[in-house]
Amino acid sequence: MADPILSWGRVHRFEQDVDILPRDATARGTLSETAFTGNESVIAHGLGRSYGDVALNEGGRVLLTPRHDFVLEANWETGLFRASAGLSLAQLHKITVPRGWFVPVTPGTKFVTLGGAVANDVHGKNHHQASSFGHHVTRLKLCRSDGEAMICSREENSEFFALTLGGLGLTGIIDWVEFQLKPIASSNLFVENIACPDLAGFFELSQESAAWPYTVMWVDCLAPEKARGRGIFTRGRPVDSGPLQPHDEEKSVKWPFTTPSFLLNPVTLKTFNALYRMRPGARFVGEQRYDPFFYPLDRIREWNKLYGKKGFFQHQAIIPMESGREGIAALLEAIEKAGQGSFLAVLKVHGPERSPGVMSFCREGVSLALDFANKGRKTLALLERLDAIVLEHGGRIYPAKDGHMSASFFQACYPQWTQLESARDPMISSSFWRRVTQND
Amino acid sequence: MQQNSPKTLVILGATSAVAIAYARHCIEKDGAIRFILAGRDETKTKTVLADLVGRGADETSSVVIGDLGSPDEVERLAGEILASAPAPDEMLLAYGLLGEQKALQASLPETAKLLETNFVSAAMWAEVFAQCFVEKGAGHIVIIGSVAGDRGRQSNYLYGATKGALERVAEGIAHRFAGSKYINVTLVKPGFIDTPMTDHIEGKGGPLWASPEKIAQVTYKAVRKRRVRVYAPWIWRYILLIVRALPVPVMHRTKM
Ligand SMILES: Cc1cc2nc3c(=O)[nH]c(=O)nc-3n(C[C@H](O)[C@H](O)[C@H](O)COP(=O)(O)OP(=O)(O)OC[C@H]3O[C@@H](n4cnc5c(N)ncnc54)[C@H](O)[C@@H]3O)c2cc1C
């Protein structure tokens, strides 16, 4: 392998062996043999869109899954769909959109695999109505290092099912995933972008828009105190008739180089945030294709190199409704004071969690996602301050986006982690898991 | 597609990465195509069939199982294929062995097997479909060749020879049907492809390595435009222009 395997944040650079899960591993009946060889521990690695180290394994092996991408069964009457876990949502849309079906829940990038969507029990702009991805998964097949292959569902091997949704790839290698697609009448959405003056405005808009299937807000996290929480609130719903046209990947462009770090400073950040808020599209109301609506960042391949050589951290917290307002305000205040704001800060009200996932990140509440260029100590100190605020408000942070949290913080956020530890396959481990389970 | 019956595409070597990528790409662009998938391994070929049907291939698509690369089998298998699809529209020849030059040099049976698989049987298949398309009055033969066929190089000349020879066959068939608008041949010449077949290669990766999907896109466009020969991606055309132009004394000083 010429290029080392990195995660999306590009912070962790590890020595690890790399293997590829072949496309026909199932047909050959050798998935377990390929996945588990020798004594080294292994972790599945999908499209590497997790920001931190959940899909990395320092000193061990990573198993790349995207080639494992067969469609196994598709029922266009009911929308029940089954495919190998390496299939990406980008490929999925090309198959389902022309037939009037869409993935029930999608994260902010289409370059994730089904296995990754399960292992992080991902959520999207429709969480308040549709819950997480796991809510729509009907069955999955799990392969363990002892050679056992288990079909898991709410009825069958239900404990493994619940621990695999949000299970960070630790319960076994997921061979395939079966889930329920959502019917669409068109690939377009009707979208409204609304300027929001402050945090109170955000909560009002969220409440007022509860009937809209998709809602989210981009926040200007460098806004001064009296405008704290200002941003652009976006809501959308699929239109009732129109074309059923999949996206076109050939239209994307590539971030041309790794940005020199001197370009990442408070001035450029402020400028970016101001420009973003004032750009012509920021007040757009009208019909939009699903690709720019759900995946604006996918237009720029390798945009993560924008953050320079040292990479960047994400921090996504969810805080229960009761303490949501104060919690989010406190987080925004800490960021503004630190002067280390992020380009892309995203606020979202989440609904009740109906995914059976034991370790799933989502719960009813408000989430705030941020990214920070890696400036070493300074950044880590800020992240720790943010963690403390999250804990104080009864919240937790998202492992898919984490590259820094301490073991004690993780264990306080997720006391149920011990259940996952007991269901973990003894041959599977990740840098993340060792970091958060070995006491600091 | 506004046709009464779907287009029929025969794929020889249907489990190869390029074949799968090409079949998927064709479905994405053209909708319901009927595939006849020929391959050696029944389970694998049937999994590919299920994948393509799941992606929108015509439900009547089917498989033919057998050793395509064995010259003794060509006639029988051709009979089977043409029995299930008497008038196909297109044939993609995508099977082949890469072979390891050092191992081939050390074993005549291995060498014979490589020549039979990559050239002897492949040329026979091309002839089978040329004949079939003559009878039908239309059809497109698509052959996956290789840039390795452009010049004999110490590192893989036996493989290169099979691909070079196959190129002559494709060229000849194209010439034979030069007057016909409806019978066409396209030879695709990829460089390095990121597939399981090349996973063992040291130092794999980098700008010259293309995904099977990229090769499929190039192939699709070349077929639509009825190009006789295309490098995939285009950069190889210029690389090979240079490689072919190197004078022998210079060539012999390289390790290519
Ligand atoms: C621009 C961007 C926007 C995002 N927006 C959102 C969002 O809105 N909501 C959200 O929830 N997430 C979001 N994410 C995060 C992303 O959805 C998750 O990290 C997702 O899990 C990535 O999938 P992947 O295929 O890249 O998996 P990886 O990141 O490679 O791996 C993720 C986890 O899945 C496991 N895994 C993968 N395949 C298998 C398998 N076959 N068997 C067992 N385990 C497996 C890995 O071991 C690892 O634990 C975003 C990421 C980016 C880059």
Side-chain angles (χ1 to χ4, degrees), chain A residues 125-144:
Chain A
K125 295 184 173 104
N126 59 353
H127 187 272
H128 60 291
Q129 291 188 357
S131 200
S132 303
F133 189 75
H135 177 53
H136 308 270
V137 174
T138 48
R139 291 189 304 159
L140 54 84
K141 184 171 158 196
L142 199 60
C143 295
R144 306 264 298 176

Side-chain angles (χ1 to χ4, degrees), chain B residues 44-119:
Chain B
K44 285 194 206 172
T45 312
K46 285 192 166 157
T47 313
V48 175
L49 177 71
D51 176 72
L52 297 179
V53 170
R55 288 169 189 259
D58 193 79
E59 303 268 345
T60 62
S61 299
S62 59
V63 302
V64 170
I65 305 304
D67 190 358
L68 304 164
S70 155
D72 299 340
E73 291 285 288
V74 172
E75 197 161 1
R76 185 180 70 77
L77 290 170
E80 248 185 79
I81 291 170
L82 295 175
S84 54
D89 300 280
E90 185 178 327
M91 181 277 275
L92 171 73
L93 196 159
Y95 71 85
L97 300 171
L98 193 51
E100 214 274 295
Q101 180 66 30
K102 290 259 157 56
L104 292 166
Q105 281 163 208
S107 159
L108 288 176
E110 288 293 307
T111 303
K113 179 142 191 280
L114 180 89
L115 298 177
E116 285 186 352
T117 308
N118 286 10
F119 177 64

Side-chain angles (χ1 to χ4, degrees), chain A residues 5-9 21 31 42-56 63-66 68 84-89 105-125 132-133 141-143 164 166-177 216 294-298 303-304 312 314 316 344 346 350 361-362 369 371 398-401 428-430 432:
Chain A
I5 301 296
L6 303 178
S7 65
W8 200 243
L21 186 63
L31 195 146
V42 68
I43 190 74
H45 187 103
L47 283 165
R49 255 52 178 198
S50 297
Y51 286 77
D53 47 1
V54 289
L56 300 178
L63 182 69
L64 307 184
T65 65
H68 188 54
S84 302
L87 188 81
S88 70
L89 296 190
V105 163
T106 179
T109 171
K110 60 186 175 295
F111 301 117
V112 302
T113 62
L114 295 178
V118 166
N120 277 319
D121 202 355
V122 301
H123 60 274
K125 295 184 173 104
S132 303
F133 189 75
K141 184 171 158 196
L142 199 60
C143 295
T164 300
L168 306 173
L170 297 164
T171 55
I173 303 296
I174 304 164
D175 182 358
W176 50 253
V177 182
V216 75
F294 289 116
Y295 314 117
L297 289 168
D298 286 352
W303 63 262
N304 53 343
F312 67 111
Q314 264 258 344
Q316 183 172 2
L344 292 157
V346 174
H350 292 240
F361 160 69
C362 287
D371 39 44
Y398 191 9
K401 304 211 170 164
I428 298 185
S429 181
S430 65
F432 174 86

